[in-house]
Amino acid sequence: MAETMQGLKRSHMVGELSAANMGEIVVVTGWVNSRRDHGGLIFVDLRDRTGLAQLVFSPEVDKDAFAKAERVRGEFVLAAVGEVRRRSAETVNPKLPTGEIEVYVTELRILNRAKTPPFYIEEDVDENIRLRYRYLDLRRPDMQRSLILRHKVAKAARDFLDRQGFLEIETPMLTKSTPEGARDYLVPSRVNPGKFYALPQSPQIFKQILMVAGMDKYFQIVRCFRDEDLRADRQPEFTQIDMEISFVDVEDVLNLMEEMVGFTFKEAAGIDIETPFPRFTYREAMDRYGSDKPDLRFGLELRDFTGMMANSDFKVFAAVAASGGQVKGINAKGCAHFSRKEIDDLTQFASIYGAKGLAYIVVNEEGLKSPILKFFKDEEIEAILHKFEAEPGDLLFFVADKPSVVAAALGALRIELAKKKNLIDPDVFKFAWVVDFPLVEYDDEERRWVAIHHPFTAPLDEDLKYMDTDPGRVRAKAYDMVLNGIELGGGSIRIHRRDVQQKMFDLLGHSEEEANEKFGFMLEAFEYGTPPHGGIAFGLDRMIMLMAKRDTIRDVIAFPKTQSATDLMTQAPSEVTPRQLQELHIKLNVAKTKK
């Protein structure tokens, strides 16, 4: 029969015990991490979220406690009273923070028994098993460290923003569907038959309205929802550190956010961040790294040969250059030893991103090797080697195609080569800002302009004149903070005038009627004195993932979904009863499947 804590009060977390507690009588509680029976003595490693401590049961100290310890098994929940003693020199465990001491137990209470778990708590098992038994997975020390770090980061961000005069203001979870970007999660309204709420993809509209309302500095650590295809750094529900500020320009936001991130990393994880962060325009980032979220922990920058190839005898490159495409390359330093199979594998890898081929030149002490050398004059080869800063031992790769394919293929190849050459230091944090994004891009399928960020992003003042005549030329007052090749946060200075906002809606193909239907309340608010304002939102899950050096945000969220947006523990989403559907005036049009 399970016992209770009546009359006992925990005095210490087990991981906090140390030589400073020598001779004290303590009360500790936790789970049995392991049990070892050495005949005359029983040793139990007791675990809570602060760590482990060794309990010792001896019949000479307390026969009743020793008899109970014989029945103890893994994951039993215990409360123990005992004296903290120093371990003998030969039994000190230097790998354990509590390794100098042990607790000789004078009273043991078994608060709850446990079935044999489906996996050992410290065992590395298949993720689906971990998610199915998430309550056990969360007992693992590395998972607990991630959630503790998450708490510390959120607290540090709150403390910083509070000191800067920000107000934490909640915004609605049930709001109007304004389709733009990812698909909304819809919630039917029982009291308004046939109508739906949407779960917010972000608090974007509400935080801008808070600026209209004069709140001046808003922030919120907020849940957001997007019905989109998932990957390692995406979830259907995720958390943002969201903020908005009135009367600011781009420089104000960037400087303040560098200060906040530096404070948060230092306060929560003891990590010193070098500021100011380097800044790249969108065009510069794409030209040099093939990505608008460049990983700066290594070099391998792209080199542009388009102009050089326009009059080349190599017709493949010349044709691409003449048709408005690009010919660019990357120097795989020290990779001349790659086998033909390795080069073929990289060619196949580049094809995933649309590249039709991957030309190469091997640079050796003995000379050059490549099927494309015969197409170039000696002076052209010399110019290529000079531009690549090539040395013996290098392997030079080229991609020729439209700019988007060249950037995607070489940007991905750059990362792949860095992994192969072990150039990525997991202990280094390299931040950057990417600014001056295009305001819009043309969608060939839909045959219309679409917003790169969202329709409330302001154009650069000097580019406003091109919105009617050359929209693709317009740059945005938008900025992304990038960390180690991952977008950590993004934002912009917003449109705060109704006439400019209407112009933006016109450009995106929304008629005045459609704009009023979707965003009428916001446009109306803009007529009552809207201050210039801007903001940013950071992906809290991604930030913790990078700080904790985890491979997926699922490892830093307490109860995540799988890549198919299901919860293996609760079995959500699930079917609902016909009565519930009837109350919501909903009929299903899906085929019944056998369970």
Side-chain angles (χ1 to χ4, degrees), residues 300 330 332 338 346 413-421:
L300 300 179
I330 191 167
F338 277 16
L346 290 173
L413 182 63
R414 176 177 179 266
I415 303 296
E416 185 70 8
L417 288 169
K419 290 176 180 176
K420 282 181 174 293
K421 294 289 291 177

Side-chain angles (χ1 to χ4, degrees), residues 416-436:
E416 185 70 8
L417 288 169
K419 290 176 180 176
K420 282 181 174 293
K421 294 289 291 177
N422 294 319
L423 300 178
I424 301 174
D425 187 340
D427 296 321
V428 170
F429 294 90
K430 285 287 187 180
F431 287 84
W433 286 108
V434 178
V435 300
D436 292 355

Side-chain angles (χ1 to χ4, degrees), residues 151-165:
H151 160 76
K152 289 181 177 179
V153 168
K155 182 181 184 304
R158 275 194 169 96
D159 289 346
F160 176 86
L161 293 169
D162 177 66
R163 293 170 195 171
Q164 295 292 328

Side-chain angles (χ1 to χ4, degrees), residues 147-309:
L147 294 185
I148 291 168
L149 176 62
R150 187 183 181 101
H151 160 76
K152 289 181 177 179
V153 168
K155 182 181 184 304
R158 275 194 169 96
D159 289 346
F160 176 86
L161 293 169
D162 177 66
R163 293 170 195 171
Q164 295 292 328
F166 281 76
L167 302 175
E168 185 168 12
I169 304 173
E170 295 175 337
T171 52
M173 283 289 119
L174 297 174
T175 184
K176 183 178 182 178
S177 178
T178 54
E180 191 70 41
R183 288 180 293 273
D184 287 332
Y185 277 103
L186 299 177
V187 181
S189 171
R190 180 184 60 81
V191 296
N192 297 282
K195 295 186 177 180
F196 293 80
Y197 300 105
L199 300 180
Q201 295 186 31
S202 79
Q204 183 63 47
I205 292 174
F206 288 103
K207 68 181 185 177
Q208 288 192 248
I209 287 178
L210 285 171
M211 297 302 100
V212 178
M215 293 298 101
D216 195 70
K217 291 181 178 180
Y218 141 94
F219 88 97
Q220 188 180 185
I221 298 180
V222 59
R223 279 299 224 194
C224 301
F225 306 86
R226 289 180 188 167
D227 185 4
E228 59 186 349
D229 296 331
L230 305 183
R231 59 190 186 205
D233 60 349
R234 281 183 179 172
Q235 281 280 293
E237 50 184 324
F238 56 97
T239 305
Q240 289 183 347
I241 307 176
D242 191 56
M243 58 202 83
E244 198 79 7
I245 321 167
S246 291
F247 305 107
V248 290
D249 60 20
V250 171
E251 286 296 316
D252 296 322
V253 178
L254 270 52
N255 292 335
L256 184 63
M257 291 305 100
E258 286 184 10
E259 192 178 343
M260 186 194 84
V261 168
F263 175 85
T264 301
F265 270 64
K266 181 65 174 178
E267 190 76 8
I271 298 170
D272 290 306
I273 298 302
E274 185 179 343
T275 57
F277 301 161
R279 298 183 187 181
F280 303 91
T281 65
Y282 169 82
R283 179 46 48 205
E284 183 183 7
M286 296 300 291
D287 286 345
R288 292 174 60 180
Y289 302 101
S291 171
D292 59 3
K293 38 186 181 291
D295 192 333
L296 303 182
R297 289 174 293 178
F298 56 93
L300 300 179
E301 291 189 24
L302 280 53
R303 305 297 167 95
D304 193 340
F305 297 90
T306 309
M308 189 185 300
M309 297 300 171

Side-chain angles (χ1 to χ4, degrees), residues 382-430:
E382 191 62 34
I384 289 170
L385 297 178
H386 177 75
K387 195 172 186 76
F388 266 130
E389 300 179 32
E391 300 171 316
D394 292 348
L395 177 56
L396 316 178
F397 287 114
F398 302 83
V399 171
D401 215 305
K402 60 183 181 181
S404 59
V405 170
V406 171
L410 286 179
L413 182 63
R414 176 177 179 266
I415 303 296
E416 185 70 8
L417 288 169
K419 290 176 180 176
K420 282 181 174 293
K421 294 289 291 177
N422 294 319
L423 300 178
I424 301 174
D425 187 340
D427 296 321
V428 170
F429 294 90
K430 285 287 187 180

Side-chain angles (χ1 to χ4, degrees), residues 3 5 8 10 14 27-35 44-47 55 57 68-69 71-73 75-81 105 107-113:
E3 299 171 281
M5 285 283 291
L8 291 184
R10 180 172 61 187
V14 295
V27 179
V28 290
T29 59
W31 288 261
V32 174
N33 195 67
S34 64
R35 173 186 173 278
V44 169
D45 285 341
L46 194 67
R47 183 190 70 244
L55 308 184
F57 296 88
K68 286 183 180 179
R71 305 197 299 271
V72 163
R73 296 293 180 268
E75 300 309 309
F76 276 32
V77 184
L78 308 181
V81 182
V105 177
E107 181 184 354
L108 175 65
R109 297 188 190 181
I110 299 175
L111 302 178
N112 216 332
R113 289 165 171 76

